[in-house]
């Protein structure tokens, strides 16, 4: 197949995104709003977004940061805690919240208020299943004895399989999958299960974190894995299976907090997100599969309409900015200072 020089896609959505809050949020919203029509906005603020009322207020703050002339709809998610009241599910649904998020306590950025034991949330999960809300899960166990590279696989065996046995009709979105075991689990599961895949997990294996010295901008959670896992994720993303869809997990952290003795986890990919996916799909010879992954499977899974407008990508070299403003400070996007082959027009 010869590579096309131009690619027109139904406008995509981002089914896993971190926007933060305040001035930092205002700095990053335009990049996503430029490319995507909608995004699932993760609730791991400090303090977390745990009530429908907080989600509605956060949604208003995000909408106010969308540049004039762009249409962008934030889709809100509540942060599940051990103490989430059952009634919050109904309030969430009525407020237009689309999902709850599982952060196993201690698993990732701002997860200390997360769930310590899924059994404490069973009444809430029952209500979510009944109301048809999606349960987005950060799928890693947190035991310090489990090797950091094995935490996703352990989550499938120890948490996800029992969860799905208890709530077979609960929609579970397995977020940012990183292993061949997760790809296989999802591909064999029924239609209640979906999974997002990030651009960095399609493009890189764990060597990227250690190339010629430690590279904090390639550090995210779940951490990049071995090449065989990257290959399995590319296969899943390009398979046409509707259970796999785009979720960047763009997770902005100020540069000085990533280039730090204890650097934050998260890759900031929003300024070149769709271009990074195009690069990954092109490398797999599967550019023809990009539109369904980026623009169809996500809304179909969430039960929302597909977008009706389009975006165009052109084969044109451009250099990703090395550094961008981020509130009072600066941020380094993934691939900053490097040349990309695709550019959204
Ligand atoms: C995310 C963040 O910074 O909020 N970081 C990350 O490495 N992915 C949290 C998350 O999605 O786990
Ligand atoms: Zn996560
Ligand atoms: Zn995330």
């Amino acid at each position: 197949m010869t590579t096309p020089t131009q690619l027109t896609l139904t406008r995509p959505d981002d089914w896993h995104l971190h926007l933060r809050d305040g001035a930092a949020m205002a700095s990053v919203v335009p990049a996503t709003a430029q490319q995507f029509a909608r995004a699932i906005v993760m609730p791991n603020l400090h303090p977390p977004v745990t009530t429908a009322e907080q989600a509605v207020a956060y949604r208003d703050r995000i909408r106010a940061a969308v540049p004039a002339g762009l249409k962008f709809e934030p889709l809100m998610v509540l942060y599940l805690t051990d103490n989430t009241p059952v009634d919050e599910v109904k309030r969430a649904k009525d407020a237009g919240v689309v999902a709850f998020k599982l952060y196993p306590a201690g698993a990732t950025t701002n997860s200390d208020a997360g769930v310590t034991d899924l059994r404490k949330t069973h009444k809430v999960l029952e209500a979510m299943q009944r109301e048809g809300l999606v349960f987005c899960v950060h799928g890693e166990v947190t035991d310090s004895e489990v090797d950091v590279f094995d935490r996703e696989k352990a989550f499938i065996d120890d948490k996800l399989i029992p969860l799905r046995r208890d709530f077979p009709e609960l929609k579970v979105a397995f977020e940012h999958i990183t292993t061949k075991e997760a790809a296989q689990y999802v591909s064999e599961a029924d239609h209640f299960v979906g999974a997002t895949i990030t651009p960095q997990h399609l493009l890189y294996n764990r060597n990227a974190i250690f190339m010629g010295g430690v590279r904090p901008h390639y550090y995210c959670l779940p951490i990049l894995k071995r090449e065989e896992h990257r290959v399995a994720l590319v296969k899943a993303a390009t398979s046409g299976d509707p259970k796999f869809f785009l979720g960047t997990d763009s997770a902005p952290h100020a540069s000085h907090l990533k280039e730090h003795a204890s650097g934050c986890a998260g890759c900031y990919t929003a300024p070149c997100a769709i271009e990074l996916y195009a690069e990954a799909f092109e490398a797999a010879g599967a550019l023809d599969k990009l539109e369904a992954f980026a623009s169809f499977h996500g809304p179909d899974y969430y039960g929302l309409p597909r977008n009706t407008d389009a975006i165009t990508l052109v084969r044109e070299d451009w250099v990703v900015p090395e550094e961008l403003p981020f509130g009072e400070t600066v941020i380094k996007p993934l691939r900053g200072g490097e040349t990309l082959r695709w550019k959204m027009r």
Side-chain angles (χ1 to χ4, degrees), residues 305-317:
R306 295 178 180 181
N307 297 317
T308 50
D309 64 330
I311 64 164
T312 300
L313 293 170
V314 289
R315 266 287 290 115
E316 180 188 306
D317 287 355

Side-chain angles (χ1 to χ4, degrees), residues 15 152 172-191 193-198 202 232-247 277 281 289-301:
W15 300 94
E152 185 174 274
V172 177
F174 196 166
E175 298 297 332
H176 46 44
I177 62 167
T178 65
T179 57
K180 63 175 190 209
E181 288 84 6
Q184 184 181 347
Y185 176 84
V186 173
S187 70
E188 290 169 1
D190 61 36
H191 67 279
V193 175
T196 53
I197 308 181
T198 78
L202 292 174
L233 296 172
V234 169
K235 188 161 163 260
T238 60
S239 66
D241 183 335
K243 284 178 292 205
F244 298 103
F245 42 88
L246 184 157
Y277 282 108
F281 275 65
K289 296 292 202 304
L290 179 59
E291 184 181 39
F293 173 81
S295 314
F296 299 159
H297 298 166
D300 294 356
Y301 178 76

Side-chain angles (χ1 to χ4, degrees), residues 16 18 20 42 44 101 103 108-109 138 176 219-222 249 251-253 265-267:
H16 183 132
H18 300 270
R20 316 308 185 200
M42 288 296 156
N44 60 332
K101 177 71 189 267
Y103 288 104
T108 186
T109 309
H138 178 109
H176 46 44
Y219 173 57
C220 66
L221 287 171
D249 194 20
H253 292 277
C267 299

